[in-house]
Amino acid sequence: MADFLREWVINIAVIIIFIMFLDTIIPNSSMKRYINVIVGLMIIVVVIKPFVLIKDYADSFNMKFLETSSYIEQGGSAADSTEISNFQRQMAVEIFENNLKKKVGRIVDNSTDSDYEEVSIDLRLEKDFESKDFGEIKSIEVIISKRPKEVIEVDRIKIAADEDAEVNKNVINKDKVEYNLNNSRISSEIRDGISKALGISESIIGVEVRQ
Amino acid sequence: MDIMKIVMVGIIAALLAVVLKEEKPEMAVAISIVTGLVIFVFVITKLNSVMTVLKHFAAKANIEVLYFTTILKVIAIAYITEFGAQICRDAGEGAIAAKVEFAGKVLIMVIAIPILAALMDIMIKIIP
């Protein structure tokens, strides 16, 4: 009981000293009256606090205070908050998209050698907030192009015999098939890597290897 | 000394404003606004340290933060409103100044309403 009384007296004394101090700070204008009203309310609250505590209404007081203040704050900022939350959602989608692109880019880098330079990644996401599948990846298109090689000028070559031409033709065809095989191997590797890393079906991943 | 700096800034700005008032009254208003802002910002940083000490003591004396923050908010609103209203009055716009003051009063009342509501609630509960 003594502790309780001591705390009560300290509370009253401190708040009175505090208000006296603040009274010197507050601007000397018509505002002073309004500030005094609030300060008066404060003093009433501090003085009647023991009764509140005896009746165990302290929680009720705090609850009512918080309830009313949140009601007032919500009323003023309801429109602002929807706008802000929409903006935040958009930003989140953008960040998600960029991170996803970076990740796909890393997978492509790991799967290909340094010959491939230009990598373009096109992502299609479900951006409709209302939709059930919001944030789901619809498709991924990866286009990688080979670094352009320098053209070496060579002297004109004369092919005399028909046989030689036939041999050359075969060789060229063989190379082409090999080249296509290589491309399809790279694209399937990339597709597999992306599918495993992101946990999505391979059917929505398109990979194109350009010369 | 800080007060010397502030007073010098004030006197120089006042002289400039008086000189410019005849030739370019709009520049005089701009000077008064900028001077007000400079002094306000300068003083508000000092006031901030005072508030930190007061908060520390309030926590030590076991005063509820609820009361403390409410009073501080009210004083801040009063100061800012006063500042804005005086600038408007200096620019010769008494009507706008009155509106700014009105807005300040309403906002102070808005802050007071939760306390009032809680108090009324307790009163009704205590009285059988």
Side-chain angles (χ1 to χ4, degrees):
Chain A
M1 189 67 183
D3 277 352
F4 167 72
L5 273 176
R6 185 178 161 273
E7 205 171 287
W8 185 41
V9 171
I10 287 177
N11 253 344
I12 293 175
V14 169
I15 204 129
I16 301 264
I17 292 167
F18 179 58
I19 286 163
M20 288 281 284
F21 180 73
L22 287 179
D23 205 45
T24 57
I25 300 180
I26 52 175
N28 197 12
S29 66
S30 57
M31 293 277 162
K32 208 165 185 172
R33 273 190 307 154
Y34 294 84
I35 295 170
N36 283 341
V37 169
I38 294 164
V39 167
L41 282 175
M42 293 288 199
I43 295 173
I44 294 173
V45 169
V46 172
V47 171
I48 69 158
K49 209 166 175 211
F51 302 103
V52 172
L53 288 174
I54 288 166
K55 281 268 191 182
D56 203 21
Y57 288 144
D59 288 342
S60 154
F61 177 83
N62 284 338
M63 278 293 287
K64 190 74 188 172
F65 180 87
L66 291 174
E67 205 178 275
T68 317
S69 30
S70 67
Y71 172 75
I72 286 170
E73 274 167 23
Q74 267 175 12
S77 60
D80 288 350
S81 65
T82 43
E83 215 169 272
I84 289 167
S85 65
N86 276 344
F87 177 71
Q88 279 177 338
R89 275 183 193 165
Q90 270 179 6
M91 290 301 288
V93 169
E94 266 178 40
I95 290 168
F96 173 62
E97 203 172 347
N98 285 339
N99 285 347
L100 211 57
K101 273 186 183 172
K102 275 183 198 162
K103 196 168 183 179
V104 172
R106 274 202 298 274
I107 294 166
V108 173
D109 278 351
N110 289 339
S111 314
T112 54
D113 47 19
S114 54
D115 278 356
Y116 295 93
E117 196 183 43
E118 285 173 38
V119 179
S120 101
I121 299 154
D122 185 31
L123 281 177
R124 284 212 299 135
L125 297 171
E126 178 61 84
K127 289 180 184 173
D128 185 12
F129 302 128
E130 308 293 322
S131 169
K132 197 172 61 181
D133 305 325
F134 171 60
E136 201 168 271
I137 302 164
K138 279 182 164 176
S139 69
I140 300 177
E141 292 290 331
V142 180
I143 299 168
I144 51 176
S145 327
K146 209 164 189 179
R147 182 178 293 168
K149 282 183 178 166
E150 282 176 21
V151 179
I152 304 162
E153 281 186 22
V154 288
D155 293 335
R156 191 181 286 264
I157 300 166
K158 276 187 182 175
I159 299 161
D162 284 350
E163 271 178 39
D164 285 351
E166 194 64 34
V167 168
N168 280 343
K169 200 177 170 187
N170 285 339
V171 167
I172 288 163
N173 281 344
K174 203 179 166 189
D175 273 352
K176 202 173 177 182
V177 169
E178 210 170 77
Y179 187 77
N180 283 341
L181 269 172
N182 196 30
N183 276 0
S184 71
R185 186 182 57 79
I186 288 169
S187 65
S188 77
E189 256 178 34
I190 291 170
R191 199 177 289 130
D192 193 44
I194 294 171
S195 162
K196 273 182 187 161
L198 303 179
I200 51 173
S201 162
E202 278 191 31
S203 59
I204 58 169
I205 306 166
V207 180
E208 195 184 323
V209 183
R210 283 183 186 165
Q211 293 289 322
Chain B
M1 290 248 294
D2 291 338
I3 190 69
M4 290 295 280
K5 285 181 201 164
I6 293 170
V7 169
M8 287 312 285
V9 167
I11 290 171
I12 291 165
L15 283 173
L16 277 174
V18 166
V19 171
L20 281 171
K21 207 166 240 172
E22 299 297 317
E23 300 292 322
K24 285 187 171 177
E26 69 275 7
M27 287 306 286
V29 172
I31 284 174
S32 80
I33 291 172
V34 171
T35 315
L37 274 174
V38 166
I39 295 173
F40 193 73
V41 170
F42 193 77
V43 171
I44 218 85
T45 47
K46 303 275 172 197
L47 203 63
N48 193 26
S49 51
V50 174
M51 287 303 162
T52 318
V53 175
L54 280 181
K55 264 186 191 168
H56 172 70
F57 277 113
K60 223 176 183 177
N62 224 359
I63 292 273
E64 280 195 38
V65 187
L66 200 84
Y67 311 140
F68 194 79
T69 48
T70 310
I71 292 178
L72 288 190
K73 271 184 196 169
V74 167
I75 288 171
I77 290 175
Y79 261 107
I80 294 165
T81 311
E82 189 68 19
F83 178 70
Q86 270 175 4
I87 286 174
C88 293
R89 224 169 261 130
D90 282 354
E93 298 291 338
I96 297 174
K99 302 292 178 294
V100 171
E101 277 184 347
F102 170 68
K105 283 169 191 169
V106 169
L107 288 179
I108 288 175
M109 281 294 127
V110 166
I111 284 181
I113 285 295
I115 304 171
L116 195 72
L119 204 60
M120 291 299 280
D121 193 52
I122 296 286
M123 290 282 192
I124 291 163
K125 276 184 183 167
I126 287 174
I127 297 164

